[in-house]
Amino acid sequence: MSEDTEQPSRGPQLSEQVAQRLSDAIQAGEWGRGARLPTEAALGERFGISRSVVREAISMLRNGGLVTSRRGSGSFVAESPTVSLRLAIPDPGLQSVVEVLELRRPLEVEAARLAAERHTPSQLRRIRNAMVDIDEAVEAGLSGVDQDLAFHRAIAEAANNAHFTAVLDFYNRFLHHAIRVTRTNESLREAFMQQVVAEHQAILDAIAGGDADAAACAAATHLAHAEARLRQAPTDLLERVEAQRGSTSTSSTEPTGGNPR
Amino acid sequence: MSEDTEQPSRGPQLSEQVAQRLSDAIQAGEWGRGARLPTEAALGERFGISRSVVREAISMLRNGGLVTSRRGSGSFVAESPTVSLRLAIPDPGLQSVVEVLELRRPLEVEAARLAAERHTPSQLRRIRNAMVDIDEAVEAGLSGVDQDLAFHRAIAEAANNAHFTAVLDFYNRFLHHAIRVTRTNESLREAFMQQVVAEHQAILDAIAGGDADAAACAAATHLAHAEARLRQAPTDLLERVEAQRGSTSTSSTEPTGGNPR
DNA sequence: TTTAACATCTTGTCTGACAAATTTAGCGCA
DNA sequence: TGCGCTAAATTTGTCAGACAAGATGTTAAA
């Protein structure tokens, strides 16, 4: 009655358990980076499962970026393994947007502070260019949402810490979705854009001058105002959200609209 | 010469092609949210491939958060599709740890602020319990890293914004690895733990008292000190990192160690 | 009408086989 | 010995068929 195999506790998903245990083993360093892990047959014997399940498990790790497989050669721990943060795309509504902004505020404030301290000349140039792009887009009758996000991204890049750009990029994806909904609010557009331009200018000046505290303060002010602007048209936003649900194809470069940023 | 199957162009990865085409079909709206997609056998016939490949393809989509499968029922387009942030795990070194801490600092400070304003009684209780757990772990001779991270996580939960816990959890995975490396630094342990406990207490008191600014300030102080403590043993850390590279098996629950948090 | 047993369907897992690509071993040859 | 080529062994990718586990729908009985 000797059992050499690591007994899998029976649970909902066998392949999932195996994937988890393999992932743990890799992250625990059982096989170093780039190392070849045992053959599918060997792993099947080790875990007491069939090759199918091993393949499903490895498939999960491969999709997760933890391993790569080469036919005829084997499966290898990825040279630069990745971990992934997955987030359900919420129903775009005021509440979820506010929650995202709540997270972004401290990040952007800190990014502005770091940018003031660390920016290179070329990074500063890119921030300036992004501001010009916003102007041009607005004058061309576009919403300028993309350009606005690019402006903030340029600041994050100037912080010279890849994690800031990674997280902010991540959240941009559905902030973009959400903001797009508000951009037809023509009535508020003029007043908004003046404010936005002034606030952007303040951030840029502080960064260019290397004043970290001023940059952080300017960014905080800008984001607080942005949230206030967003709250100003909640009913309109929610209506449009409801209308847009289920539409299969949304053209992504339509003109006009008030941009709360 | 009639071919009812959609011919798969032969390329590097057959299952990958199928996954791509399925993904396209879903995003094109062929099957709406929550809809059941054809059985694996039917898809196999449609694409002219075996069930194995269909399963691999669906596995990819499942891992991508695009579909969910229920045994006995079928595979369904996900109700709430997800986006994922994938990030390469850097070589564990002082620099990368510092970069992560740089990102965490503003997040944790803001989380502490929000927690002070929004915490429920049960959430406050969990924070208290986490502090007790740290004490017990340390007295038991453990590093208390897990418990320490749990303490910070409890604070993030009390902020009542899921994005904070999501991002912090995501980055905890690095930190856990990196911090583990430093915990054999026995000499610094006693002095560190006294500091850490005092700082934790200050955060907890501010949150319990509902003083948002005090909570933010206490958290900022704690994290600044944590980083300083981490920097205090850089050579030792780097040596250990180098030594650990490629080591096959690292027991993950060893006792003792100085915890910079 | 409600409930329980049953038949059917679908995904999860197992087994065995072959194809395709890579790695390794062997061998001849200089 | 050292080098280049060929052939064998390995390993992942794909195919095929089968059964198990769980879900769904139908039918019969109370």
Side-chain angles (χ1 to χ4, degrees), chain A residues 185-199 229 232 258-259:
Chain A
N185 201 328
E186 192 70 33
S187 61
L188 300 171
R189 192 171 172 221
E190 282 300 320
F192 276 7
M193 286 316 297
Q194 279 190 3
Q195 256 193 320
V196 169
V197 169
E199 289 168 14
R229 287 190 285 270
Q232 220 164 312
N259 177 357

Side-chain angles (χ1 to χ4, degrees), chain B residues 156-169:
Chain B
E157 275 178 16
N160 283 300
N161 180 332
H163 299 310
F164 281 86
T165 53
V167 174
L168 290 174
D169 275 348

Side-chain angles (χ1 to χ4, degrees), chain A residues 18-200:
Chain A
V18 175
Q20 185 59 52
R21 292 170 68 176
L22 275 177
S23 171
D24 290 344
I26 290 174
Q27 295 206 324
E30 179 159 347
W31 305 289
R33 290 189 179 190
R36 202 180 87 180
L37 39 89
T39 69
E40 294 173 349
L43 287 174
E45 192 167 350
R46 164 168 169 180
F47 291 112
I49 55 180
S50 74
R51 205 186 136 205
S52 314
V53 179
V54 175
R55 283 188 60 74
E56 286 244 4
I58 288 184
S59 168
M60 294 181 195
L61 301 187
R62 194 168 39 230
N63 289 327
L66 208 62
V67 309
T68 61
S69 299
R70 288 199 299 275
R71 165 191 254 174
S73 181
S75 292
F76 302 80
V77 179
E79 282 296 344
S80 53
T82 63
V83 289
S84 61
L85 167 62
R86 260 178 41 188
L87 189 69
I89 301 176
D91 288 334
L94 182 61
Q95 182 54 32
S96 66
V97 175
V98 168
E99 283 181 356
V100 171
L101 288 180
E102 232 169 51
L103 182 91
R104 286 181 63 103
R105 193 185 345 140
L107 287 181
E108 295 216 41
V109 168
E110 186 71 9
R113 178 193 306 278
L114 293 175
E117 293 172 346
R118 302 178 179 171
H119 67 85
T120 67
S122 81
Q123 285 169 337
L124 189 60
R125 218 176 306 130
R126 289 175 72 171
I127 299 176
R128 283 215 168 86
N129 289 342
M131 267 198 68
V132 175
D133 288 343
I134 296 177
D135 281 341
E136 288 178 356
V138 170
E139 284 184 14
L142 299 169
S143 70
V145 173
D146 289 322
Q147 290 77 15
D148 196 318
L149 291 175
F151 171 78
H152 287 268
R153 192 186 196 287
I155 293 176
E157 274 178 17
N160 283 299
N161 180 335
H163 299 309
F164 281 86
T165 53
V167 174
L168 290 174
D169 275 348
F170 176 63
Y171 280 102
N172 270 352
R173 271 188 274 181
F174 68 101
L175 199 56
H176 187 277
H177 270 21
I179 288 184
R180 226 170 55 192
V181 182
T182 71
R183 68 186 178 191
T184 50
N185 201 328
E186 192 70 33
S187 61
L188 300 171
R189 192 171 172 221
E190 282 300 320
F192 276 7
M193 286 316 297
Q194 279 190 3
Q195 256 193 320
V196 169
V197 169
E199 289 168 14
H200 280 178

Side-chain angles (χ1 to χ4, degrees), chain A residues 28 30 81 85-86 102 118, chain B residues 63 85 89 102 118 248 250:
Chain A
E30 179 159 347
L85 167 62
R86 260 178 41 188
E102 232 169 51
R118 302 178 179 171
Chain B
N63 289 329
L85 166 63
I89 300 174
E102 231 169 51
R118 302 179 180 171
T248 53
T250 57

Side-chain angles (χ1 to χ4, degrees), chain B residues 198-220:
Chain B
E199 290 167 15
H200 281 178
Q201 188 68 51
I203 299 174
L204 174 56
D205 289 344
I207 291 177
D211 189 337
D213 288 332
C217 183

Side-chain angles (χ1 to χ4, degrees), chain B:
Chain B
M1 197 59 70
S2 68
E3 280 290 350
D4 285 9
T5 64
E6 306 181 14
Q7 280 284 49
S9 66
R10 51 203 148 295
Q13 316 285 96
L14 183 51
S15 53
E16 209 166 305
Q17 297 174 36
V18 176
Q20 186 60 52
R21 293 169 68 176
L22 275 178
S23 172
D24 291 344
I26 290 174
Q27 296 204 322
E30 180 158 348
W31 305 288
R33 286 194 180 187
R36 202 180 87 181
L37 40 90
T39 68
E40 295 172 348
L43 287 173
E45 192 168 350
R46 164 170 169 178
F47 290 113
I49 55 180
S50 74
R51 206 184 137 207
S52 312
V53 179
V54 174
R55 285 189 59 74
E56 287 244 2
I58 289 184
S59 169
M60 294 181 194
L61 302 188
R62 195 168 37 232
N63 289 329
L66 210 62
V67 307
T68 61
S69 299
R70 286 200 300 276
R71 165 191 242 163
S73 182
S75 291
F76 302 80
V77 179
E79 284 291 348
S80 53
T82 64
V83 290
S84 63
L85 166 63
R86 261 174 50 177
L87 195 63
I89 300 174
D91 287 332
L94 182 61
Q95 183 55 33
S96 65
V97 175
V98 168
E99 283 181 356
V100 170
L101 289 180
E102 231 169 51
L103 181 90
R104 286 183 62 105
R105 193 185 345 140
L107 286 181
E108 296 217 39
V109 168
E110 186 71 9
R113 180 193 304 278
L114 293 175
E117 294 172 345
R118 302 179 180 171
H119 67 85
T120 67
S122 80
Q123 285 170 337
L124 189 60
R125 217 176 307 132
R126 289 175 71 171
I127 299 176
R128 283 215 169 87
N129 289 341
M131 267 199 68
V132 175
D133 289 343
I134 296 177
D135 281 341
E136 287 178 357
V138 170
E139 283 184 15
L142 299 169
S143 69
V145 173
D146 289 322
Q147 290 77 16
D148 197 317
L149 291 175
F151 172 78
H152 287 269
R153 192 186 197 287
I155 293 176
E157 275 178 16
N160 283 300
N161 180 332
H163 299 310
F164 281 86
T165 53
V167 174
L168 290 174
D169 275 348
F170 177 64
Y171 279 102
N172 270 351
R173 278 185 271 184
F174 295 85
L175 274 194
H176 190 277
H177 266 27
I179 289 183
R180 226 172 56 191
V181 181
T182 71
R183 67 184 181 193
T184 49
N185 202 327
E186 192 68 33
S187 61
L188 300 172
R189 191 172 173 221
E190 283 300 321
F192 276 8
M193 285 317 297
Q194 279 190 3
Q195 257 193 320
V196 168
V197 167
E199 290 167 15
H200 281 178
Q201 188 68 51
I203 299 174
L204 174 56
D205 289 344
I207 291 177
D211 189 337
D213 288 332
C217 183
T221 302
H222 175 50
L223 289 164
H225 287 179
E227 186 175 331
R229 285 192 285 270
L230 188 71
R231 286 179 184 280
Q232 217 163 316
T235 57
D236 173 67
L237 185 147
L238 291 178
E239 281 167 15
R240 295 195 160 278
V241 167
E242 212 52 40
Q244 204 181 34
R245 297 252 292 173
S247 78
T248 53
S249 168
T250 57
S251 54
S252 64
T253 51
E254 278 171 7
T256 72
N259 177 356
R261 296 294 288 280

